[in-house]
Amino acid sequence: MAEEIEYWDFATQDELTEQLVGDIGFIIESALDARGQALLAFPGGSTPKPVFAGLAKANIRWKNVTIIPTDERLVPVDSPLSNIALIAKTFLPLGARVLPLNSEAENYTLAGSAANARLMDLHWPPDLVWLGMGKDGHTASIFPGPDMEGAIHADKGVRAVGVMPDPLPPEAPVARVTLTAEAIASARTTIIVGGGRDKKTVLDKAIEEGARSAFPIGRILDRIEIPVDIYWLDS
Ligand code: 6PG
């Protein structure tokens, strides 16, 4: 289990955004100073939107920063469901390199292999993996269900796999590719960002259950060895 898991609670979206923009900016600048480049994995969903907008306005050196999604829905990049679309729209104009993980592979398993191959070219590990979380305890695109173990116990060294959530999540009922537990756990920094009581109840239970948890987020936290900060919007 992550060495230390700490909640940072925020009363308003603006406060949460300001803190995250400052902290992510610091992670990027530190990575650039130490290694001349930064690799970030950003989630999909709705939570990141205001934070991306805040990051875009901040004074951050985006050149030599590579951004990948933690997971991608297997839809065309111009689909409103695409995770990379918002990332690309926000960060490409700032000079960052944005690497999509989707492909036109004919099935999601092959799409996973293609995403994995693309990630093999990167300077690993990520300086930051930012995880979102759903009410069902999924994180990245590791959902409770038949494909969960495959993403959590993928072969050693595999960074991405294809998954078909079952049941399909109503907000985006499509196959996905996702970082594996090993890839997530390899990050130099991991944060979780979310909000609301329902999700908090799930997250607390998942943390308590750890390796035994039926919630993917609990299983992932069990694999992470570094401290994890949770940024939470109380609402
Ligand atoms: C995805 C996401 C996913 C997301 C959560 C939370 O594409 O499904 O990457 O893991 O982070 O579902 O989504 P919200 O921020 O919309 O609640």
Side-chain angles (χ1 to χ4, degrees), residues 42-49 69-73 81-83 130-136 138-143 169 171-172 176-177 193-195 199:
F42 285 167
S46 55
T47 306
K49 284 183 190 161
T70 55
D71 59 310
E72 182 58 298
R73 298 145 177 196
L81 291 184
S82 163
N83 283 343
W130 163 357
L131 295 173
M133 190 199 125
K135 279 188 192 154
D136 58 358
H138 82 263
T139 189
S141 275
I142 307 179
F143 284 79
E171 69 280 9
R176 327 295 194 82
V177 294
V193 183
K199 282 193 190 178

